[in-house]
Amino acid sequence: MAYDTNNIFAKILRGEIPCKKVHEDEFALAFHDINPQAPIHVLVIPKGPYESMADFSAKATEAEIAGFIRAVGTVGRQLGIETNGYRILANHGHDSRQEVPHFHIHVFGGRDLGSMLGKPRA
Ligand code: 5GP
């Protein structure tokens, strides 16, 4: 499937929609989720046009992959949640209920995050 240049995160990257920025570098932008699921809930997105984890892992350059993963670590440190711990999560496709078709990693922290997975659809 072709990357949708009008998805909401593409608009945030172009500055057409505001975000509460946490970190930005050559490879990634990190900002607070609009509907936080934990006291800290930040999204880290690569700057390139990748739809999902599958797309990013297959097509991004080594530099983009390394830069992006380093940015996720930087965000954890910057948010002050490295010591107590945090969870990262990336949804890919239908079964994960991925909503926005621009690859992103969720960073959750600020409380005990409980067990790993929610319940499936009834
Ligand atoms: P997904 O389900 O695709 O993994 O997660 C998409 C996330 O993007 C959701 O947690 C949702 O709250 C967040 N989100 C959707 N639209 C916006 C927006 O316009 N701004 C921000 N900051 N987050 C958004």
Side-chain angles (χ1 to χ4, degrees):
M1 205 160 73
Y3 177 79
D4 170 14
T5 55
N6 279 322
N7 77 74
I8 201 100
F9 293 170
K11 290 181 179 174
I12 286 176
L13 274 173
R14 292 196 295 267
E16 293 166 14
I17 288 178
C19 70
K20 280 174 67 185
K21 195 192 288 186
V22 170
H23 170 81
E24 182 169 14
D25 61 34
E26 185 186 346
F27 298 104
L29 175 68
F31 51 90
H32 290 278
D33 196 291
I34 206 166
N35 182 24
Q37 305 296 309
I40 292 172
H41 183 176
V42 163
L43 302 167
V44 190
I45 69 175
K47 290 207 162 165
Y50 303 105
E51 191 179 311
S52 69
M53 176 61 196
D55 197 26
F56 183 70
S57 61
K59 297 183 193 152
T61 65
E62 310 288 305
E64 285 175 310
I65 292 170
F68 177 72
I69 294 297
R70 282 198 197 284
V72 175
T74 299
V75 165
R77 260 189 310 283
Q78 232 172 265
L79 292 168
I81 52 177
E82 208 175 62
T83 303
N84 280 0
Y86 59 87
R87 178 171 296 153
I88 63 173
L89 180 152
N91 291 315
H92 164 72
H94 173 270
D95 279 359
S96 75
R97 305 196 199 185
Q98 180 180 359
E99 285 173 11
V100 180
H102 182 110
F103 176 48
H104 49 283
I105 283 190
H106 298 255
V107 181
F108 302 102
R111 66 165 164 80
D112 180 337
L113 294 164
S115 62
M116 207 145 66
L117 289 177
K119 292 199 168 64
R121 290 179 182 90

